[in-house]
Amino acid sequence: MPVLCVNIDHVATLRNARMGIEPEPVTAAAICELAGAHGIIVHLREDRRHIRDRDVHTLRKTLNTRLHLEMAATEEMQKIALEVRPEMACLVPEKRQELTTEGGLNCIGREQELADYVAPLHEAGIRTSLFVDADPAQIEAAAAIGSEFIEIHTGHYSDAKNHVEEKAELNKILRGIELAKEAGLLINLGHGLNYTNILPFARIKGIREYSIGHSIMARAIFSGLDSAVRDMVALVRSFDE
Ligand code: PXP
């Protein structure tokens, strides 16, 4: 059965909008855990626009489940990951001007560089994942890096403008899942998934984890965080292994 890990970056975005102390991301993480989330995901960006170092360190001390750190493949982030020891580090591309992560990591031609980057993390017992587009060449390159997991970027699928585009993007992801399985990679999915566009993955075997933030926080505004997380946990737990 796949699991749900909740990205709480948006709670920090709201807090930072007033430069104050509420809403508290650490409290949000505890509510997500109580509602059945399997882990908590935060993206510590270079510009610290939402999650801050203090959040990551506090979560490390307070979480009962797992801490997954999304991060750019920089020296600074490697140092922080080695200090904090998240259960998983997911490497993502990062651009200063982007609203959110806009595409997958480029692994092609960077196999050795990224293999060297993840090696100390593995030595420290941190599992790693590479956030990649559902592009066969990227998946092949990711497999050569030696990361245990990839997270297939579902953002192009969730952003599709019409049904035809959506189907084409879904098919790319489904082919990517097959390819990743053949390459021996473990597979997570994430970006832009919500309570309806996640449904086509229900009977797809081999997905380990869903990484979801925005749609859960959007629902939480109306129905509360506990209920929003419980709804998504129930969906994901009804899916095939
Ligand atoms: N996975 C990755 C790698 C991401 O960068 C994000 C956004 O921070 C997510 C998953 C979650 O995306 P969303 O907030 O659209 O659910």
Side-chain angles (χ1 to χ4, degrees), residues 7 9-10 70 92 100-101 131 151 190-192 211-214:
N7 180 312
D9 293 350
H10 290 289
E70 284 178 12
V92 299
T100 177
T101 316
F131 183 58
E151 179 178 328
H191 213 286
S211 162
I212 306 180
H214 186 267

Side-chain angles (χ1 to χ4, degrees), residues 25-39:
V26 176
T27 307
I31 293 169
C32 292
E33 287 189 318
L34 289 171
H38 222 75

